[in-house]
Amino acid sequence: MIPGEKIKNAGELEFVVFCIENVAAKLGVEAQRVYQAFTRKSDILYGYIVPEYEVLHTQSREYIVDDLLEVMKERGVEV
């Protein structure tokens, strides 16, 4: 998938929602804040989560959340 490509099916959309909700739960913040961090403050949603969907969605919830928190840290993204 080309980085920046949009969500193309229901499976990817469900996974994006899953990622946002689970990162929000781990951080103890509202999902809207995580969505903004992934879209307005960075390109994590369309530049990482969507392009890496095929690999990421096969991992455990804990792995996915920890991976996304690491990506946020590496990119200096805060919620």
Side-chain angles (χ1 to χ4, degrees):
M1 187 182 266
I2 300 167
E5 191 171 327
K6 302 298 181 201
I7 296 167
K8 59 182 192 268
N9 60 51
E12 287 183 4
L13 178 59
E14 289 174 8
F15 181 70
V16 165
V17 172
F18 169 87
C19 290
I20 292 168
E21 288 180 344
N22 281 280
V23 168
K26 177 85 173 194
L27 296 175
V29 299
E30 293 183 13
Q32 179 65 27
R33 289 181 57 190
V34 174
Y35 174 76
Q36 289 174 350
F38 285 178
T39 58
R40 294 187 184 146
K41 296 180 181 180
S42 72
D43 70 339
I44 292 173
L45 180 61
Y46 294 111
Y48 183 73
I49 296 172
V50 174
E52 298 299 326
Y53 166 76
E54 290 300 325
V55 173
L56 285 174
H57 87 281
T58 64
Q59 305 300 316
S60 69
R61 180 180 59 82
E62 293 81 13
Y63 177 91
I64 293 165
V65 170
D66 290 344
D67 184 59
L68 291 172
L69 292 174
E70 184 63 29
V71 170
M72 291 172 69
K73 182 179 175 183
E74 288 172 2
R75 298 183 184 192
V77 177
E78 296 181 6
V79 291

